[in-house]
Amino acid sequence: MSFNGYKDLIVEGESVILYLTINQFYILEAKTTTLSKKGVVVQNIFQTPYGSLACGDLIGKKYGTKIQLKKGWAYILQPTPEFWTELLPHRTQIIYTPDISMILLCLELKPTSIVIESGTGSGSLSHAIIRKIKPSGHLYTFDFHETRVDIARNEFKEHGLSQYVTVQTRDVCTDGFGKDLEGKADSVFLDLPQPWLAATFTSQVFKRGGGRLCSFSPCVEQVQKMCSALTNLGYQEIQTMEVLQSQFAIQKKKMSILNLDMLKTSNNKETVKNEKEFSNFITSVAPNTLPGHTGYLTLLLFHQHM
Ligand SMILES: C[S@@+](CC[C@H](N)C(=O)[O-])C[C@H]1O[C@@H](n2cnc3c(N)ncnc32)[C@H](O)[C@@H]1O
């Protein structure tokens, strides 16, 4: 897989994004054969709305290449955390790219950061964190659901990311983050039903000097409990925000041209609009509604006095 850095050519076995349109993209494996549901070795054929593709034909092709399908064409692209968030198999609710971008920004992640995350869930956020902190940083991610932990660990391995991430089964609300991580973390991220229980353990894990904490919660009642718990723990400058993505549409518009020369000589506004003269232009249009709420991000900067 090429999640771990950019590559030029597709190597056998790598996962590749097949990009048809902005709403139609898929992840597939560049392998000549695959196992059928019955466990029989068969040719690896991927069906798209524009025709089928023999996945083995991708091996050796350059990433970014436009390939011909029977009824259209597609691009073959490198997988990224953004594509993965859209395509991953859901085991849980996940965090999406607009929230992820704000989380990465607010946690001030960089290629040396040591980050603690819980729960791992479907690994959507984890992939974006890993890209931001590698090659010298490390992600420690915890989930109390053993199967989810195993699947996430396998995915990280398949994606060539194992050296940047440690996945552990642990109930962080009762057991905290473990002795080994005390004084090690630059940032902590929580996506848990009861983050206030885990918050009790956060001050122990930050490096001397402090760190950043961010918690994602869908409900405002969870935010209230979390903020109260953080205040009781002595944290200050707690902020909560909501990320709403506003997607502009591009539209063609037609408007009659206002004749300013006639405006000087006429009091009748209608006569100054020359009905035969129109201007055609392309413009952006703000959406009438905003997409639905995902969750609230509660953030704080933890200072530790030396
Ligand atoms: C909403 S999911 C996290 C999704 C993840 N942020 C993503 O983007 O894919 C919440 C996860 O927290 C885990 N969880 C809930 N309570 C926990 C606890 N006390 N300790 C560890 N994990 C917990 C659940 O098993 C679940 O997988």
Side-chain angles (χ1 to χ4, degrees):
M1 264 248 188
S2 52
F3 273 98
N4 186 12
Y6 288 101
K7 284 187 163 184
D8 206 22
L9 300 179
I10 297 174
V11 174
E12 178 158 20
E14 278 181 352
S15 292
V16 175
I17 301 295
L18 187 73
Y19 185 96
L20 275 72
T21 68
I22 196 163
N23 296 317
Q24 287 174 300
F25 45 86
Y26 312 91
I27 192 156
L28 50 87
E29 288 198 0
K31 284 200 305 201
T32 316
T33 57
T34 188
L35 282 184
S36 72
K37 280 183 191 153
K38 291 180 184 160
V40 181
V41 178
V42 290
Q43 201 190 354
N44 193 12
I45 302 287
F46 189 83
Q47 299 294 343
T48 83
Y50 302 139
S52 59
L53 171 75
C55 300
D57 292 352
L58 298 178
I59 300 165
K61 286 222 159 55
K62 213 173 166 161
Y63 278 109
T65 304
K66 188 174 176 178
I67 54 163
Q68 191 66 44
L69 298 168
K70 236 186 185 146
K71 291 184 253 164
W73 43 264
Y75 287 101
I76 39 175
L77 305 178
Q78 317 240 358
T80 61
E82 289 76 18
F83 279 130
W84 186 242
T85 290
E86 292 297 324
L87 298 168
L88 61 79
H90 282 225
R91 280 88 69 181
T92 59
Q93 286 282 359
I94 64 163
I95 301 185
Y96 288 91
T97 300
D99 287 312
I100 290 176
S101 356
M102 186 55 79
I103 293 164
L104 301 183
L105 179 77
C106 292
L107 291 181
E108 289 196 341
L109 302 188
K110 47 186 180 293
T112 50
S113 302
I114 304 297
V115 185
I116 294 177
E117 177 196 28
S118 188
T120 313
S122 306
S124 168
L125 176 67
S126 318
H127 276 76
I129 293 180
I130 294 169
R131 181 180 58 187
K132 202 87 172 85
I133 63 172
K134 74 188 184 63
S136 310
H138 200 88
L139 171 67
Y140 294 88
T141 180
F142 301 95
D143 203 297
F144 66 4
H145 194 290
E146 213 164 324
T147 315
R148 285 180 200 150
V149 166
D150 290 343
I151 298 174
R153 193 181 286 118
N154 274 341
E155 277 174 358
F156 295 134
K157 194 170 166 210
E158 279 173 19
H159 297 176
L161 301 174
S162 294
Q163 69 266 41
Y164 310 116
V165 55
T166 306
V167 200
Q168 277 179 38
T169 311
R170 193 180 186 92
D171 186 334
V172 297
C173 292
T174 55
D175 304 333
F177 305 100
K179 269 239 159 279
D180 289 353
L181 285 178
E182 283 183 12
K184 295 268 166 60
D186 294 294
S187 307
V188 175
F189 177 81
L190 303 174
D191 180 4
L192 297 167
Q194 296 180 302
W196 52 92
L197 298 179
T200 324
F201 301 101
T202 52
S203 63
Q204 299 155 17
V205 296
F206 285 122
K207 281 181 180 166
R208 258 177 84 81
R212 286 177 180 263
L213 172 71
C214 178
S215 174
F216 177 91
S217 294
C219 307
V220 80
E221 291 80 3
Q222 290 169 301
V223 174
Q224 286 167 335
K225 282 197 175 181
M226 182 61 169
C227 290
S228 303
L230 292 172
T231 310
N232 291 338
L233 289 166
Y235 288 120
Q236 290 171 5
E237 294 179 43
I238 304 162
Q239 290 179 7
T240 296
M241 65 169 87
E242 183 182 18
V243 178
L244 292 174
Q245 188 180 12
S246 160
Q247 202 159 335
F248 278 56
I250 307 296
Q251 279 184 7
K252 280 186 183 163
K253 293 252 176 191
K254 189 176 181 182
M255 270 173 81
S256 54
I257 294 172
L258 194 66
N259 189 333
L260 293 173
D261 290 338
M262 286 183 76
L263 189 64
K264 288 180 199 154
T265 55
S266 170
N267 287 329
N268 183 352
K269 276 191 186 159
E270 281 313 302
T271 60
V272 298
K273 270 192 196 167
N274 183 345
E275 293 297 324
K276 282 180 193 145
E277 277 193 67
F278 289 102
S279 146
N280 290 304
F281 57 97
I282 293 175
T283 185
S284 63
V285 185
N288 293 330
T289 55
L290 278 180
H293 161 82
T294 55
Y296 300 102
L297 292 174
T298 297
L299 308 152
L300 63 85
L301 176 60
F302 173 60
H303 301 279
Q304 202 170 51
H305 301 294
M306 307 258 214

